[in-house]
């Protein structure tokens, strides 16, 4: 049965994707322009993140997988995380003033740069090989932690979830001083920190492995 582009755009998983975009955009607007609505902003961001857990399941269950769906899913994932890190880089400036050095701002901006460089390099390096960026074939011969990350669903999920939890809790944490949940959020920050730290290691290794794979392909193309 033939399917039109318009029908693809209206696949149920893609509708979930549009809802995620709206939810993320709304949360960013509230975080930046209306910080007094921080709780609503937090809930909207979490809703978008939860939606990411179900769009793929719906796509497979309804036989509505599509390259377009994968594209908007990937863009929403990356832009959501980068947007939140941008917000955090501004929100934690008072703490930087206390330190007398922009520790938090530099940290969050470094995480933004690493996220962009790592994921773009991975996509580019696998695209020139004609492979999917998560596939075993595309990642064969790369750093073992990168292979583990893409080859083990539970390891992959743990690192991604821990990282997103740390970022969103770090956002909410600044508004809860004096509230009963403040200590709980602090505990969640410490629990999720190892997973987030390991995710940055994966990003770093992914960047190095991807760059080496591109250089390796260039070297092979020079062989007469």
């Amino acid at each position: 049965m033939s399917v039109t582009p318009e029908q693809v755009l209206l696949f149920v998983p893609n509708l979930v994707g549009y809802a995620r975009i709206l939810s993320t955009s709304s949360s960013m607007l509230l975080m930046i322009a209306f910080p007094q609505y921080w709780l609503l902003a937090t809930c909207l961001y979490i809703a978008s993140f939860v939606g990411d857990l179900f769009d793929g399941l719906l796509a497979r269950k309804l036989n509505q997988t599509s390259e377009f769906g994968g594209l908007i899913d990937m863009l929403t994932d990356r832009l959501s995380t980068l947007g939140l890190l941008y917000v955090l880089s501004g929100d934690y400036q008072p703490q930087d003033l206390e330190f007398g050095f922009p520790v938090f701002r530099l940290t969050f901006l470094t995480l933004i740069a690493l996220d962009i460089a790592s994921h773009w390099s991975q996509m580019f390096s696998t695209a020139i090989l004609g492979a999917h960026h998560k596939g075993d074939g595309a990642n064969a011969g790369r750093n073992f932690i990168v292979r583990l990350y893409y080859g083990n669903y539970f390891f992959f999920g743990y690192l991604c979830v821990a990282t997103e939890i740390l970022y969103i809790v770090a956002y909410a944490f600044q508004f809860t001083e004096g509230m009963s949940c403040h200590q709980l959020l602090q505990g969640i920050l410490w629990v999720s920190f190892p997973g987030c730290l390991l995710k940055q290691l994966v990003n770093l290794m992914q960047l190095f492995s991807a760059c080496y794979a591109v250089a390796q392909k260039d070297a092979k193309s020079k062989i007469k």
Side-chain angles (χ1 to χ4, degrees), residues 24-60:
T24 297
S25 301
S26 300
S27 70
M28 294 296 132
L29 174 63
L30 293 175
M31 288 177 182
I32 295 171
F34 304 99
Q36 65 270 29
Y37 298 114
W38 65 270
L39 183 57
L40 177 58
T42 301
C43 291
L44 287 170
Y45 188 93
I46 292 174
S48 176
F49 178 67
V50 171
D52 186 36
L53 303 177
F54 291 100
D55 55 1
L57 293 175
L58 284 172
R60 290 184 288 273

Side-chain angles (χ1 to χ4, degrees), residues 87-98:
V87 170
L88 291 173
S89 72
D91 285 357
Y92 276 79
Q93 285 189 30
Q95 284 78 1
D96 284 340
L97 292 175
E98 292 180 14

Side-chain angles (χ1 to χ4, degrees), residues 188-210:
I188 294 174
L189 284 174
W190 283 111
V191 169
S192 57
F193 179 76
C196 181
L197 186 63
L198 192 52
K199 177 66 165 64
Q200 307 319 312
L201 177 61
V202 169
N203 284 347
L204 194 61
M205 293 300 101
Q206 178 173 258
L207 174 60
F208 290 155
S209 291

Side-chain angles (χ1 to χ4, degrees), residues 129-192:
L129 296 174
H132 192 278
H133 69 284
K134 293 182 181 179
D136 291 338
N139 294 301
R142 302 203 178 184
N143 185 275
F144 81 94
I145 198 170
V146 175
R147 299 198 306 273
L148 176 64
Y149 178 68
Y150 286 115
N152 188 302
Y153 179 80
F154 294 102
F155 184 65
F156 176 89
Y158 165 66
L159 297 194
C160 291
V161 171
T163 300
E164 288 298 322
I165 287 177
L166 185 140
Y167 293 162
I168 193 60
V169 170
Y171 168 74
F173 183 74
Q174 60 186 318
F175 298 102
T176 61
E177 182 122 19
M179 298 173 62
S180 59
C181 63
H182 193 70
Q183 292 297 322
L184 173 62
L185 294 182
Q186 187 175 43
I188 294 174
L189 284 174
W190 283 111
V191 169
S192 57

